[in-house]
């Protein structure tokens, strides 16, 4: 992979292509026996009375099953790397496979899971969301209570010098905060302030898997040299910065979604990846530190609730009243590509904003094709000239290695002095530009393939470059392959706002259905995740290429990594306004007020197909912060309800115990099936058995609006199905009063395609909307 560092490789791979996760062998060898990191979940109630604390119990357990080293001159390495005690009970330990198997049989051990590597899901957004505080009547005018909320950001660390973290005007640190400011290379106590109230770094799992951190090359401290963590933290809660821009693009005031909230940075991602033992330790510490919201823009492909450590830790955090917002992943537009699907997590997909960075390609034939670009530099092409253009692929509809501009595939004799056409895929988009530049090319046309369709993502390339859609790309490639002395030129038009239609669901945003439980609709919602401007590290150029010597205070990035912190920030605002609301209540408010139309008043579209998007693409819809603060009704869910949901998922007693934390949590059977979890979305699955034609789901709403409120229900029509809601009116007389209703869906004719619609409670002021999706499993 040459000059590009490996972490960039996989971040961009993830951002640009499909997600593939594997349980990579994260092992080191000691005396010929290879050891790996394992996450061990413990039943704390099984602690023998001979031990006074869990730490000595864990370490004695590990000693009892460990194979002693042959060579006793060699120092016994520390086997227990972390102990966990607030999000769940357990430890991370270095074990051989045999030791792990033996440990699993010990009394008190609930499960032993191998370390997993997770991946990052890499200023106009506040205005686009109706969050501009200029209007003093707006509910979004800064309130002092906003300063009481701390958002923990699990990412690549933070660049504390960024103006987005300027704490001028802030009150003192909230009294409930117990976090610390860890020091290390490039990070001192003074780098924390009243905005960055905590900073920690977690690297034991990383070092165990990949060897000691090279401190010359990497800050073994909370300092962010990657930029991703600075960008997400600033999106959550960045202070307003006037005149923010990237090389003149996207000029305006940059501000986070909750500029009054505090940030605690938990650095869990390093140049070699993000490791579950480190992530879990961060979640565990964040719970005791006192964060109110956690923003986690990373994920891993895990196939069950009880084997996904992040899901288990998030369950423990939810029990403590902490809302966890996670990115859905960048595996779209493939169906069933979601990560972080647990119902107690808020799963965020990505959509576009009404801002664009237009560019164009002019061909010698006279044709003019539109695209996007963030290019700014001295190497501008002369507008009066035409330059030779070349496509090294052989077939405009199926890319080959040369056409992808992979490292070492371009012949300088062929491309030197020319504008080169490169297909998207396999390698990072900005790296293709570097390859073209190094081979002597003077410009690049980056063409989408069928995988990305017409969706355009702007990048800060090292040479003049325009990204074009699949259709435009095909036309350009045809011309370059068949024309005589084909020529082209590129033009850049800066920033354009008011783009219609927007929002549109991003092609890369991971899609449902939820492979773990069809009855829980995921993603939960979408938020801006395309071409987002936010603060950046001073250690890396905007293209994230090592060869990029440019330094910028702000950068433009795309991914569900960017949409997740938008929701985390809005959740922080809701938490500040409604401190008594549970994480489920906040999520409900966000979901039931989301909208499903664009700025042309048409239903939301899907960028990958150009057609209408479905709840599997956008969940409940696009976040609508100013409505979410006053949702009228909420669908609340407590820890025991989530546990009872898990009881319907076919987990064994031992698998359930991972979530029980204390073995005294048991199934109360409060829900008769997974569809009855009090989720703000309704997903009904008709079984293969054709005799089951009627299904009923139950919901309970809590009145958080005026004490005396009368709601009536409106349900959309579904093809081949009768719907009945009982009762069809809800008359509240008190605040926080709970009323229940049931919905019965009766199939008249089974459908092959899922049917979607909505169920809405209205009181004349509020519209409490739940997306509804009906699926018929095909008979075997
Ligand atoms: C923070 O912002 C204030 C007011 O905008 C400015 O005076 C101050 O210099 C800034 N602080 C730092 C450390 O840049
Ligand atoms: C180009 O690729 C497409 C799709 O793979 C294929 O159908 C077509 O035959 C190819 N054309 C040539 C000239 O190789
Ligand atoms: C379960 O046990 C823990 C610790 O022993 C205790 O704090 C908690 O209250 C118990 N919960 C229930 C539901 O009994
Ligand atoms: C709510 O009140 C209306 C009259 O205002 C009445 O028609 C309706 O039956 C009541 N609903 C319930 C569930 O009591």
């Amino acid at each position: 992979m040459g000059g590009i560092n490996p972490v960039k490789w996989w971040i961009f791979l993830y951002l640009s292509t499909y997600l593939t996760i594997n349980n990579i062998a994260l092992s080191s060898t000691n005396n010929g026996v290879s050891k790996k990191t394992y996450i061990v979940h413990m039943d704390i109630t099984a602690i023998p009375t001979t031990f006074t604390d869990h730490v000595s119990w864990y370490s004695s357990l590990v000693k009892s099953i460990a194979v002693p080293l042959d060579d006793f001159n060699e120092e016994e390495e520390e086997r227990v790397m972390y102990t966990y005690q607030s999000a769940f009970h357990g430890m991370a330990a270095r074990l051989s496979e045999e030791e792990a198997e033996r440990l699993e049989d010990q009394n008190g051990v609930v499960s032993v899971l191998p370390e997993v590597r997770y991946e990052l899901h890499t200023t106009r957004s506040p205005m686009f969301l109706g969050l501009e505080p200029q209007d003093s009547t707006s509910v979004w005018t800064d309130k002092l209570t906003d300063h009481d909320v701390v958002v923990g950001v699990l990412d690549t660390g933070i660049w504390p010098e960024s103006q987005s973290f300027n704490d001028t005007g802030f009150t003192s640190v909230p009294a409930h905060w117990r976090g610390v400011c860890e020091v290390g290379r490039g990070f001192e106590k003074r780098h924390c302030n009243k905005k960055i109230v905590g900073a920690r770094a977690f690297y034991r799992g990383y070092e165990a898997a990949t060897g000691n951190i090279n401190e010359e090359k990497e800050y073994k401290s909370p300092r962010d040299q990657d930029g991703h963590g600075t960008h997400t933290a600033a999106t959550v809660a960045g202070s307003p910065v006037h005149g923010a821009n990237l090389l003149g693009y996207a000029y305006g005031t940059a501000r986070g979604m909750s500029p009054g909230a505090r940030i605690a940075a938990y650095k869990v991602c390093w140049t070699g990846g993000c490791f579950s033992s480190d992530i879990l330790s961060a979640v565990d510490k964040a719970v005791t530190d006192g964060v109110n919201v956690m923003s986690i823009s990373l994920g891993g492909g895990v196939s069950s609730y009880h084997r996904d450590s992040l899901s288990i830790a998030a369950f423990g955090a939810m029990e403590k009243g902490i809302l966890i917002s996670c990115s859905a992943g960048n595996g779209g537009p493939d169906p069933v590509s979601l990560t972080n699907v647990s119902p107690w997590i808020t799963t965020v997909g990505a959509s576009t904003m009404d801002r664009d960075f237009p560019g164009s390609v002019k061909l010698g034939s006279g044709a003019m094709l539109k695209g996007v670009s963030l290019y700014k530099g001295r190497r501008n092409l002369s507008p009066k000239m035409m330059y030779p253009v070349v496509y090294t692929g052989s077939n405009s509809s199926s890319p080959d290695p040369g056409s992808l501009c992979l490292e070492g595939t371009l012949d300088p004799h062929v491309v030197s002095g020319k504008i080169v056409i490169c297909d998207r895929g396999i390698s990072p988009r900005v790296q293709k530009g570097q390859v073209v530049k190094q081979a002597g090319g003077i410009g690049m046309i980056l063409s989408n393939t069928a995988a990305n369709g017409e969706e355009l993502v702007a990048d800060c390339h090292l040479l003049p470059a325009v990204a074009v859609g699949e259709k435009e790309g095909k036309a350009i490639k045809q011309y370059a392959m068949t024309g005589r002395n084909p020529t082209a030129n590129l033009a850049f038009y800066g920033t354009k706002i008011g783009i219609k239609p927007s929002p549109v669901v991003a092609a890369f945003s991971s899609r449902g259905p939820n492979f773990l439980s069809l009855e829980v609709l995921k993603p939960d919602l979408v938020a801006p995740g395309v071409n987002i401007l936010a603060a950046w590290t001073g250690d890396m150029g905007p293209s994230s290429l090592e060869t990029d010597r440019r330094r910028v205070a702000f950068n433009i990035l795309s991914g569900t990594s960017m949409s997740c912190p938008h929701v985390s920030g809005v959740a922080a605002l809701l938490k500040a306004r409604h401190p008594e609301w549970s994480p489920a209540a906040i999520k409900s408010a966000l979901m039931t007020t989301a909208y499903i139309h664009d700025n042309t008043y048409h239903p939301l579209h899907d960028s990958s197909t150009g057609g209408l998007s479905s709840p599997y693409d956008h969940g409940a819809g696009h976040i609508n912060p100013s409505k979410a603060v006053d949702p009228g009704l909420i669908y609340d869910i407590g820890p025991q309800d989530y546990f009872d949901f898990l009881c319907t998922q076919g987990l064994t007693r031992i698998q359930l115990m991972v979530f029980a934390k204390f073995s005294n949590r048991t199934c109360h059977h409060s829900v008769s099936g997974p569809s009855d979890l009090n989720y703000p979305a309704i997903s009904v699955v008709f079984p293969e058995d054709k005799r089951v034609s009627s299904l009923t789901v139950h919901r309970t709403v809590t009145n958080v609006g005026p004490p005396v409120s009368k709601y009536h229900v409106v349900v959309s029509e579904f093809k081949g199905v009768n719907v009945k809601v009982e009762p069809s009116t809800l008359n509240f007389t008190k605040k926080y009063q709970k009323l229940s209703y049931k919905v019965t869906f009766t199939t008249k004719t089974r459908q092959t395609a899922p049917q979607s619609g909505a169920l809405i409670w209205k009181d004349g002021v509020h519209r409490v909307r739940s997306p509804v999706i009906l699926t018929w499993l095909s008979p075997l």
Side-chain angles (χ1 to χ4, degrees):
M1 276 171 266
I4 187 156
N5 83 36
V7 70
K8 295 294 171 234
W9 170 269
W10 57 254
I11 291 174
F12 279 98
L13 198 63
Y14 196 38
L15 283 174
S16 53
T17 64
Y18 300 135
L19 164 74
T20 45
I21 302 266
N22 20 52
N23 239 333
I24 23 151
L26 308 167
S27 58
S28 67
T29 332
N30 196 333
N31 280 12
V33 183
S34 115
K35 294 198 188 67
K36 293 182 194 170
T37 304
Y38 287 88
I39 315 289
V40 186
H41 293 268
M42 301 291 298
D43 174 9
I44 193 79
T45 58
I47 185 168
T49 48
T50 41
F51 293 100
T52 49
D53 66 290
H54 63 281
V55 178
S56 52
W57 176 38
Y58 296 170
S59 110
S60 137
L61 255 183
V62 169
K63 273 212 191 80
S64 73
I65 55 92
V67 177
L69 295 171
D70 310 333
D71 178 358
F72 53 80
N73 286 331
E74 193 175 334
E75 220 175 293
E76 175 67 86
E77 63 177 315
E78 191 46 70
R79 299 298 202 93
V80 178
M81 300 153 59
Y82 289 113
T83 60
Y84 308 110
Q85 53 189 325
S86 46
F88 64 96
H89 293 287
M91 63 180 141
R94 300 289 295 164
L95 304 168
S96 70
E97 216 163 289
E98 292 73 31
E99 291 169 340
E101 277 170 21
R102 266 205 299 281
L103 186 59
E104 203 150 24
D105 295 334
Q106 301 300 303
N107 194 31
V109 176
V110 177
S111 75
V112 181
L113 305 175
E115 174 100 289
V116 173
R117 184 156 76 183
Y118 286 70
E119 322 213 331
L120 290 166
H121 292 158
T122 285
T123 43
R124 193 167 151 70
S125 53
M127 211 186 286
F128 184 66
L129 294 173
L131 272 182
E132 248 351 51
Q134 261 77 322
D135 173 8
S136 60
T137 62
S138 155
V139 286
W140 299 103
T141 45
D142 198 26
K143 290 228 174 83
L144 270 185
T145 53
D146 292 351
H147 297 213
D148 294 341
V149 174
V150 182
V151 183
V153 181
L154 275 67
D155 213 297
T156 61
I158 197 159
W159 189 262
E161 288 80 10
S162 169
Q163 279 305 315
S164 292
F165 310 126
N166 187 323
D167 68 350
T168 302
F170 268 78
T171 55
S172 54
V173 173
H176 76 269
W177 180 245
R178 293 178 298 272
V180 299
C181 191
E182 290 179 1
V183 300
R185 186 166 80 86
F187 210 90
E188 296 165 26
K189 279 270 182 291
R190 67 180 168 89
H191 286 126
C192 287
N193 58 16
K194 287 182 249 169
K195 168 58 87 179
I196 303 172
V197 296
R200 293 180 185 268
F202 301 84
Y203 44 75
R204 286 182 211 161
Y206 171 47
E207 288 198 319
T210 66
N212 287 350
I213 291 172
N214 178 347
E215 296 211 42
E216 306 264 288
K217 289 206 168 135
E218 203 167 358
Y219 293 105
K220 198 172 173 174
S221 77
R223 181 169 289 275
D224 175 21
Q225 64 199 108
D226 178 278
H228 192 277
T230 300
H231 201 277
T232 53
T235 303
V236 171
S239 301
V241 181
H242 303 293
N245 67 90
L246 167 63
L247 308 173
Y249 285 97
Y251 190 94
T253 299
R255 89 175 76 227
M257 292 297 104
S258 180
R262 322 291 180 132
I263 294 162
Y266 295 86
K267 182 170 175 178
V268 295
C269 291
W270 304 85
T271 55
C274 331
F275 292 89
S276 52
S277 60
D278 295 330
I279 297 167
L280 293 186
S281 187
V283 173
D284 200 57
K285 279 280 187 296
V287 169
T288 34
D289 286 351
V291 306
N292 305 103
V293 173
M294 267 186 243
S295 190
I296 307 182
S297 287
L298 45 91
V302 179
S303 52
S304 63
Y305 292 114
H306 62 281
R307 292 188 72 82
D308 179 353
S309 296
L310 184 51
S311 150
I312 298 165
F315 188 93
M318 170 276 294
E319 284 181 302
K320 300 275 164 78
I322 300 165
L323 181 134
I324 315 259
S325 156
C326 290
S327 43
N330 302 330
D334 279 4
V336 206
S337 46
L338 293 167
T339 65
N340 300 319
V341 293
S342 298
W344 47 90
I345 286 175
T346 303
T347 314
V348 188
S351 52
T352 64
M353 288 194 296
D354 64 343
R355 181 178 64 195
D356 205 358
F357 309 102
S360 68
V361 178
K362 187 180 171 190
L363 299 180
S365 63
M368 189 81 137
L369 298 124
K370 287 184 186 158
V372 300
S373 181
L374 286 178
Y375 183 71
K376 186 67 153 245
R378 282 171 290 116
R379 300 164 153 268
N380 256 325
L381 303 166
S382 162
K384 295 193 186 71
M385 301 259 298
M386 291 302 281
Y387 301 88
V389 61
V390 61
Y391 179 60
T392 65
S394 53
N395 183 340
S396 67
S397 40
S398 70
D400 59 44
S403 74
L404 291 163
C405 301
L406 305 182
E407 211 149 335
T409 59
L410 291 184
D411 180 355
H413 292 111
V414 177
V415 304
S416 182
K418 296 181 182 157
I419 294 174
V420 182
I421 304 165
C422 302
D423 284 311
R424 253 175 92 174
I426 312 287
S427 68
R429 301 183 298 271
V430 287
Q431 196 195 35
K432 294 175 193 285
Q434 176 175 260
V435 168
V436 170
K437 191 179 165 190
Q438 278 168 350
I442 55 163
M444 175 174 71
I445 298 165
L446 183 64
S447 170
N448 280 0
T449 62
N452 343 94
E454 298 304 307
E455 172 171 276
L456 297 175
V457 177
D459 299 294
C460 209
H461 289 282
L462 291 168
L463 82 173
V466 171
V468 297
E470 188 199 6
K471 239 178 24 229
E472 289 77 8
K474 257 191 193 151
I476 297 168
K477 286 185 262 185
Q478 273 307 323
Y479 166 73
M481 284 192 298
T482 56
R484 264 177 168 231
N485 302 323
T487 57
N489 200 353
L490 310 177
F492 314 100
Y493 307 111
T495 308
K496 202 177 148 204
I497 56 172
I499 299 297
K500 287 178 180 170
S502 63
V504 173
V505 177
F508 61 74
S509 184
S510 286
R511 303 300 205 266
N514 173 358
F515 59 98
L516 289 188
S517 314
L518 263 180
E519 296 84 356
V520 176
L521 177 67
K522 290 279 177 173
D524 290 311
L525 28 71
V526 293
V530 179
N531 298 336
I532 304 299
L533 181 85
W536 192 240
T537 172
D539 226 43
M540 188 70 85
S543 69
S544 288
L545 293 168
E546 303 245 301
T547 53
D548 189 349
R549 299 275 150 234
R550 299 172 293 182
R551 290 297 177 261
V552 294
F554 291 84
N555 199 4
I556 292 174
L557 298 184
S558 299
T560 52
S561 275
M562 283 64 241
S563 54
C564 161
H566 278 87
V567 169
S568 317
V570 175
L573 270 172
L574 295 186
K575 182 73 188 168
R577 306 300 163 88
H578 305 286
E580 73 286 2
W581 283 10
S582 69
I586 293 173
K587 176 157 88 174
S588 173
L590 291 168
M591 286 174 67
T592 61
T593 57
Y595 58 83
I596 51 155
H597 60 264
D598 59 31
N599 55 3
T600 66
Y601 304 102
H602 289 102
L604 280 184
H605 278 68
D606 174 350
S607 167
S608 69
T609 60
L612 291 183
S613 97
S614 88
Y616 287 149
D617 310 317
H618 61 242
H622 190 277
I623 51 163
N624 190 354
S626 45
K627 286 271 192 280
V629 77
D630 178 24
L633 305 177
I634 53 172
Y635 292 83
D636 207 358
I637 307 176
Q640 183 63 40
D641 304 321
Y642 285 121
F643 191 77
D644 284 343
F645 162 79
L646 282 170
C647 297
T648 68
Q649 296 297 294
L651 277 68
T652 65
R653 197 184 60 83
I654 293 287
Q655 289 164 350
L656 275 173
M657 211 197 274
V658 173
F659 297 93
K661 196 145 66 147
F662 300 103
S663 44
N664 58 4
R665 199 189 275 289
T666 56
C667 294
H668 291 178
H669 307 290
S670 67
V671 294
S672 58
S675 282
D676 268 351
L677 178 69
N678 201 34
Y679 217 69
I682 295 174
S683 174
V684 174
V685 183
F686 288 96
E688 289 93 345
D689 185 348
K690 288 185 175 171
R691 285 166 301 183
V692 182
S693 62
S694 186
L695 291 172
T696 300
V697 301
H698 298 84
R699 289 290 185 274
T700 300
V701 283
T702 310
N703 178 25
V704 295
V708 179
S709 305
K710 282 189 198 303
Y711 283 85
H712 71 276
V713 77
V714 179
V715 194
S716 42
E717 284 187 14
F718 296 89
K719 203 166 145 194
V721 175
N722 277 338
V723 187
K724 187 172 185 204
V725 184
E726 293 169 294
S728 60
T729 56
L730 295 173
N731 303 335
F732 292 93
T733 53
K734 289 193 290 287
K735 192 162 182 179
Y736 301 127
Q737 185 183 355
K738 287 180 190 287
L739 290 176
S740 298
Y741 68 91
K742 64 178 182 179
V743 198
T744 303
F745 298 91
T746 307
T747 298
K748 290 176 295 180
T749 36
R750 288 175 74 95
Q751 304 293 311
T752 45
Q755 298 293 309
S756 64
L759 181 153
I760 308 168
W761 289 100
K762 294 179 176 179
D763 68 346
V765 178
H766 303 96
R767 283 179 91 251
V768 188
R769 182 183 181 281
S770 290
V772 176
I773 191 142
L774 310 178
T775 325
W776 290 262
L777 299 180
S778 38
L780 295 170

